[in-house]
Amino acid sequence: MAAVDHAHGHEHGHDGHGHHPTGLMRWVTTTNHKDIGSMYLWFSFAMFMVGGAMSLVIRAELFQPGLQVVSPAFYNQMITLHALIMVFGAIMPAFVGFANWMIPLQIGAPDMAFARMNNWSFWILPVAGSMLVGSMFVPGGASGTGWTLYPPLSIQMGMGMDMAIFGVHLLGMSSIMGSINIITTILNLRAPGMTLMKMPMFCWTWLITAYLLIAVMPVLAGAVTMLLTDRHFGTTFFDAAGGGDPVLFQHIFWFFGHPEVYIIALPAFGVISEVIPAFSRKPIFGYTSMVYAIASIAIISFFVWAHHMYTTGIPLTGQLYFMYATMLIAVPTGVKVFNWVATMWRGELTFETPMLFALGFLFLFTLGGFSGLVLSVTAVDIMLQDTYYVVAHFHYVMVAGAVFSAYAGAYYWLPKWTGHMYDETLGKAHFWLTLFFFNLTFFVQHFLGLAGMPRRIPDYALQFAEFNKLSSIGAFGLGLSQLLFLYVVIKCIKGGKKAEANVWGAPGLEWTVPSPAPYHTFEEPPVVK
Amino acid sequence: MNLTVYRLAKHLGAKMGSIGLFFALLPSLAMAKYEYNMEPPVSATGLSAYHLHNWMTMVCLVIFVVVFAVLGYSLYAHRKSVGHKAASFHENTLVELAWTIVPFLILIVIAVPATKALIAMKDTSEPDITIKVTGYQWKWGYDYLKGDGEGIKFISTLSTPQAQINGQEPKGENYLLEVDNPIVVPVNKKIRILTTANDVIHSWAMPAFAIKQDAVPGFIRDTAFRVEKEGTYRGQCSELCGKDHGFMPIVVEVVSDEKYAAWVEDQKKKMAAAAGDPNKVWTLDESKAYGEKVYATNCVACHQANGKGIPGAFKALDGSPIATGPKAEHISRVLNGKAGTAMAAFGKQLSDADIAAVITYERNSWSNKTGEVIQPSEIKAAR
């Protein structure tokens, strides 16, 4: 509550600062970017646990051949909700949480540009999350279509599907409002002297991500609205009998879906670009080329969507084009990896928990990038499409990419948020457990995919049994290890060694304010030289 | 890429999986069998894609090792704990140009064989036999449209007993990868597959031929293969198509020309026998007994053996207004299905005799006791 006391100190100086409600209403009505950032992060972790529990239901069923735990219909609901909750409920809000907390601190702004809209964009999330989770309990259960919601299967589903559609609409609204806020904040509220090209990399990645979100969330909203009208109002957008085409949905979905991959990956790159220089005690290598690389990745991501659809029957020329365009993404992605390596080269390296997670990210994300390159080649992809190889690939990108990066960021900024140092031993234990169990869970899935095991099946042939058993053991280990993180965070909030203003000796405006960051910061803009 | 590189890749690629050997050391699992790479496909186009994959994996592995060896050295030598002091450099235009251009060139080297392999794979011209494959929830329909065997058509469903799936019986060798009627094709002949679907999107996939083609309702897609080795090959539906997506395997038997000719002969006889006498009048017991079999292959997945369906998802037949009400409505529902639900139009899949029998069965099972016998002639009239 130190932050609140600080605010009271200003009671008479400024209008409103001291009059915010306390207790629950403080959180419901808050327009403070730090409060909202914290709420985003807690919400994200809660959803991470819910989505994680669902993945354990999946892995429990796949522990051995045969049907033991759930029915095939419920299994399909689990894979759908697991993905929707993890993508929209856990990963995206986690990085919005970082953005809320850190962007104003990094650019020297007193708050986000639209403080009330900020409150609104957060409070939509729990409603949308409840829609998704609640859809399990309506007649017919949740949508059993996979997160891709392909028609005509999604036309057959019960009202759980409609709840998923409205949930997606709400999540989209929240993301768009959040993005408008971030863009406006970055473009208008930077401290005097902070030009765009002096901005921390994390702000750059979010600026570009926010544009991606504004461009593609309406596309997803359009796609699911067309599903809704096909389901209930007699339109036939996706029904050949009425002149429509089921594959049209896939084109629209993946026009959203591929940039979505980078909406998740870019802020993760941003966090890594903060952590690696800090623990190398050296400025980031190739700042300008990093900015250009992010921008090119974002632009190319709009033109590669049909590589998710190589087996739908697009013509040869189309397949060739999408193959070449997709391979091209490897170039800017490679530039980023090389720049990170060059940043560490001849640095003064130490390996605290944030750095360990950043290195884990670099190692595993690169592996995920390589399996992505393999999948970009159409002739190979046709063999691997819809197998566990793809499942392994995107978990290397999403979990080892986004989640590892989120952990790197959380450990990096926890002292700034709480004013205490986290328990370094436990943090390191969390890292090594996560690294080991992550690979046990997902590395073996490459082999399952190569051996031909299709994804999204509740039961499998006997030759897939051994690797599935290993993967399930890994998944339970991975899940349990995350409880350790919760413990570390709570311990850090409650106490611990007092954190200095600049705990890591890193450059950046966020390290010029005390730890914990006071409730109001940069009421007078700092001057950046 | 030239052939030598490919041959090298073929050998090295299989070793990729040795990383996974680490896991094989876990004691309780040490004796189990592990597959680390794809089975080499049995068609020329498949084989070239397979070698392409192995070669690419090697290229990626080499780059990975080089980059992370550099990083590894840095992590070791440039530690603060050994007293290394940070340098201050933070850009170098030449280096940055190099690591933009070199990867680009590597990509071009990859793109050349990738293009060739794809063009070969997509060639579906001049087939010897054309077979239409229709995806149903949850089975496959095969229709020999052109070439030897023209006119043969049948439905292929999972033959693994439910007891094995539920763990009441030991699982057989081909658990979940076995069907009642496999598709049979001659060796060394070009087979063109046309895919379509009746309800939702399915995907006809055969790893051994390096083939995967979505089956989209209302549209026709195609793919082709020429298999060079006789044998039985197994695949699975590869696009989520509802609750029994994991239970609609594909089995292809590739046989010699003689065996194929014999199979065609046999199938034609069977089809003639199955057509039977359209004017035969069935008794209640006959019709119900046959209907039970039809029900078991076509209806049981949703409506369940006890006729209770799955509440909220699939309607019950036991005591339902349609299965106990006027028979015209019941016939129409089975023939035409119900739009917007998983209830398919079985008129397109089943014969008059099949539909008549299954309706008789449904109207006289569980608590349904209408006592009516539906005759094939009534179905014919209702079509």
Side-chain angles (χ1 to χ4, degrees), chain A residues 459-463, chain B residues 138-140 142 155-165 169-183 206 232-237 246-253:
Chain A
D459 192 7
Y460 48 82
L462 301 180
Q463 71 261 35
Chain B
W138 292 273
K139 54 191 178 267
W140 294 99
Y142 296 104
I155 299 267
S156 174
T157 43
L158 177 75
S159 61
T160 303
Q162 193 63 36
Q164 286 191 16
I165 296 172
E169 274 177 24
K171 296 181 181 15
E173 186 193 354
N174 294 314
Y175 176 69
L176 296 187
L177 297 178
E178 50 200 349
V179 297
D180 51 359
N181 301 309
I183 160 174
M206 184 51 68
T232 304
Y233 301 100
R234 297 169 199 278
Q236 287 177 270
C237 176
F247 306 91
M248 49 183 291
I250 298 152
V251 179
V252 180
E253 281 177 10

Side-chain angles (χ1 to χ4, degrees), chain B residues 166-218:
Chain B
N166 293 339
Q168 293 131 352
E169 274 177 24
K171 296 181 181 15
E173 186 193 354
N174 294 314
Y175 176 69
L176 296 187
L177 297 178
E178 50 200 349
V179 297
D180 51 359
N181 301 309
I183 160 174
V184 179
V185 296
V187 72
N188 284 321
K189 289 279 184 336
K190 185 159 184 181
I191 315 294
R192 181 174 179 224
I193 297 285
L194 302 178
T195 66
T196 186
N198 187 57
D199 30 50
V200 301
I201 302 174
H202 302 265
S203 187
W204 199 83
M206 184 51 68
F209 310 163
I211 278 185
K212 191 169 288 143
Q213 180 56 59
D214 288 4
V216 184

Side-chain angles (χ1 to χ4, degrees), chain A residues 286-529:
Chain A
Y287 177 93
T288 319
S289 72
M290 285 299 243
V291 173
Y292 288 145
I294 299 164
S296 356
I297 291 173
I299 291 165
I300 302 174
S301 76
F302 282 107
F303 304 109
V304 296
W305 73 90
H307 68 214
H308 297 271
M309 303 164 53
Y310 283 147
T311 63
T312 55
I314 43 176
L316 175 65
T317 43
Q319 290 185 330
L320 285 175
Y321 159 73
F322 281 108
M323 173 170 82
Y324 299 145
T326 304
M327 290 169 80
L328 210 55
I329 294 190
V331 175
T333 313
V335 166
K336 298 198 69 75
V337 172
F338 296 138
N339 278 333
W340 286 321
V341 172
T343 304
M344 285 181 266
W345 186 254
R346 292 179 56 208
E348 198 175 319
L349 301 169
T350 54
F351 304 99
E352 288 87 347
T353 311
M355 183 63 162
L356 289 179
F357 271 105
L359 287 170
F361 161 92
L362 193 56
F363 191 74
L364 299 174
F365 183 82
T366 307
L367 274 178
F370 277 128
S371 58
L373 183 62
V374 169
L375 287 170
S376 75
V377 173
T378 317
V380 175
D381 178 83
I382 286 171
M383 295 192 271
L384 297 174
Q385 167 80 21
D386 267 299
T387 69
Y388 263 83
Y389 191 91
V390 175
V391 177
H393 159 70
F394 67 69
H395 280 98
Y396 267 76
V397 181
M398 297 279 204
V399 182
V403 177
F404 271 51
S405 156
Y407 280 140
Y411 283 109
Y412 183 56
W413 285 312
L414 257 181
K416 180 57 61 193
W417 298 338
T418 63
H420 302 125
M421 289 306 288
Y422 59 87
D423 187 326
E424 191 67 58
T425 317
L426 288 182
K428 281 181 176 165
H430 173 225
F431 167 74
W432 288 110
L433 287 170
T434 304
L435 183 78
F436 175 77
F437 285 118
F438 169 79
N439 282 298
L440 184 59
T441 311
F442 294 109
F443 198 78
V444 295
Q445 294 184 358
H446 289 111
F447 303 133
L448 285 173
L450 289 169
M453 178 172 164
R455 61 189 283 211
R456 295 171 165 172
I457 55 173
D459 192 7
Y460 48 82
L462 301 180
Q463 71 261 35
F464 305 129
E466 283 77 21
F467 282 134
N468 268 300
K469 189 168 279 184
L470 285 175
S471 183
S472 290
I473 294 170
F476 277 88
L478 186 60
L480 290 176
S481 311
Q482 305 323 305
L483 297 177
L484 184 57
F485 174 70
L486 181 64
Y487 176 73
V488 173
V489 171
I490 291 173
K491 194 175 165 197
C492 180
I493 291 172
K494 289 198 157 165
K497 205 180 117 217
K498 190 95 189 66
E500 308 152 31
N502 192 352
V503 270
W504 308 117
L509 289 178
E510 77 256 45
W511 305 111
T512 63
V513 299
S515 300
Y519 199 61
H520 294 285
T521 39
F522 297 126
E523 284 166 294
E524 297 294 325
V527 176
V528 179
K529 284 180 270 332

Side-chain angles (χ1 to χ4, degrees), chain A residues 83-285:
Chain A
L84 286 174
I85 286 175
M86 284 304 203
V87 169
F88 293 105
I91 300 181
M92 287 168 67
F95 286 101
V96 182
F98 285 119
N100 257 296
W101 250 104
M102 300 321 297
I103 288 177
L105 285 181
Q106 287 193 327
I107 63 173
D111 203 318
M112 297 293 280
F114 304 115
R116 286 186 182 142
M117 188 167 79
N118 205 11
N119 171 290
W120 185 221
S121 39
F122 171 76
W123 279 109
I124 287 178
L125 282 184
V127 180
S130 332
M131 278 266 201
L132 286 178
V133 176
S135 71
M136 273 198 294
F137 305 103
V138 299
S143 164
T145 55
W147 83 291
T148 48
L149 311 176
Y150 283 2
L153 188 58
S154 49
I155 308 291
Q156 290 181 352
M157 294 293 145
M159 68 187 282
M161 181 72 212
D162 301 313
M163 292 177 74
I165 290 174
F166 286 126
V168 166
H169 275 143
L170 290 175
L171 292 162
M173 283 163 61
S174 163
S175 293
I176 291 171
M177 286 193 281
S179 301
I180 291 172
N181 217 340
I182 286 169
I183 292 173
T184 315
T185 307
I186 291 179
L187 293 184
N188 294 294
L189 298 186
R190 292 192 314 280
M194 180 173 281
T195 61
L196 280 176
M197 291 310 275
K198 277 187 189 165
M199 224 166 41
M201 281 306 293
F202 179 69
C203 299
W204 256 115
T205 54
W206 249 115
L207 179 62
I208 291 169
T209 302
Y211 277 107
L212 281 181
L213 274 167
I214 290 181
V216 300
M217 290 312 288
V219 177
L220 177 66
V224 295
T225 306
M226 287 155 92
L227 271 187
L228 192 73
T229 62
D230 266 18
R231 283 169 58 78
H232 298 295
F233 306 116
T235 57
T236 52
F237 292 112
F238 309 126
D239 181 1
D245 183 347
V247 179
L248 171 66
F249 178 85
Q250 300 185 21
H251 282 289
I252 308 174
F253 181 86
W254 288 113
F255 187 82
F256 145 80
H258 199 76
E260 170 68 21
V261 173
Y262 295 99
I263 286 167
I264 287 169
L266 292 184
F269 291 171
V271 171
I272 297 302
S273 302
E274 300 290 324
V275 172
I276 286 182
F279 294 91
S280 307
R281 287 158 190 86
K282 213 168 137 257
I284 189 145
F285 187 86

Side-chain angles (χ1 to χ4, degrees), chain B residues 255-267:
Chain B
V255 298
S256 64
D257 285 349
E258 301 77 56
K259 275 194 192 157
Y260 182 68
W263 179 80
V264 169
E265 212 42 48
D266 192 41
Q267 286 296 307

